[in-house]
């Protein structure tokens, strides 16, 4: 449910900020080790359910394949059901699925827009 997302809005804000910083370094061919470590450390401190919620929103925002006739809550449920059905490996593997994506911040922002979740302060 979108409540799963809304209850983690601070996590989304933090991840988006860290991922955006990293992406800008990558796009400018600059060293981004410090930013990568900060994002990795932040992700390490999340619990597995947080990672699952983030990943669900990330893929929704990346692929943008969803039924536009559904409510935001139904869109999230459908996307999450897909991942729950296909199985999750473990927190580290799932977190790495996100960390390897340079436009992670953009995917998350797109996913939040699809779900009509206002994440900006």
């Amino acid at each position: 449910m979108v409540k799963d997302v809304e209850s983690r809005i601070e996590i989304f804000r933090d991840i988006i900020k860290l991922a955006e910083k990293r992406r800008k370094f990558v796009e400018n061919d600059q060293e981004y080790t410090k930013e990568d470590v900060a994002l990795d450390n932040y992700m390490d401190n999340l619990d597995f359910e947080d990672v699952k919620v983030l990943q669900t929103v990330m893929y929704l925002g990346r692929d943008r394949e969803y039924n536009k006739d559904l409510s935001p809550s139904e869109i999230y449920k459908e996307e999450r059901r897909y991942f729950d059905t296909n199985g999750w490996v473990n927190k580290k593997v799932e977190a790495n699925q996100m960390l390897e994506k340079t436009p992670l911040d953009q995917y998350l922002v797109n996913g939040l827009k699809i779900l009509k979740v206002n994440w900006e302060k």
Side-chain angles (χ1 to χ4, degrees):
M1 297 199 323
V2 178
K3 286 180 192 167
D4 291 343
V5 175
E6 290 171 339
S7 68
R8 291 172 172 84
I9 204 67
E10 288 301 319
I11 293 172
F12 275 93
R13 284 183 185 134
D14 292 343
I15 293 283
I16 289 168
K17 185 172 71 177
L18 290 166
E20 179 182 33
K21 196 173 187 180
R22 181 188 65 173
R23 179 179 51 80
K24 288 180 178 178
F25 275 93
V26 171
E27 287 173 349
N28 292 316
D29 291 324
Q30 293 177 299
E31 183 66 36
Y32 62 92
T33 307
K34 190 173 85 176
E35 289 72 23
D36 217 26
V37 168
L39 186 55
D40 193 33
N41 287 342
Y42 189 95
M43 199 78 76
D44 278 346
N45 289 313
L46 299 177
D47 66 34
F48 196 15
E49 185 58 27
D50 295 332
V51 170
K52 290 176 182 179
V53 172
L54 283 162
Q55 194 176 92
T56 300
V57 174
M58 180 201 70
Y59 279 116
L60 182 62
R62 184 193 77 173
D63 300 338
R64 299 180 193 191
E65 293 175 11
Y66 61 96
N67 184 339
K68 291 171 180 49
D69 294 330
L70 297 178
S71 71
S73 185
E74 291 168 322
I75 291 168
Y76 177 81
K77 274 190 221 167
E78 201 170 88
E79 187 80 4
R80 177 63 188 260
R81 190 176 310 120
Y82 170 81
F83 288 106
D84 287 342
T85 301
N86 288 303
W88 301 96
V89 180
N90 62 49
K91 181 183 138 183
K92 188 69 178 164
V93 168
E94 303 303 336
N96 283 335
Q97 288 289 321
M98 290 185 285
L99 292 170
E100 67 188 21
K101 292 170 178 52
T102 301
L104 173 60
D105 60 310
Q106 295 169 326
Y107 294 160
L108 291 172
V109 168
N110 290 341
L112 292 170
K113 283 181 185 171
I114 290 166
L115 297 174
K116 296 182 176 19
V117 173
N118 183 9
W119 64 277
E120 297 177 290
K121 287 185 179 179

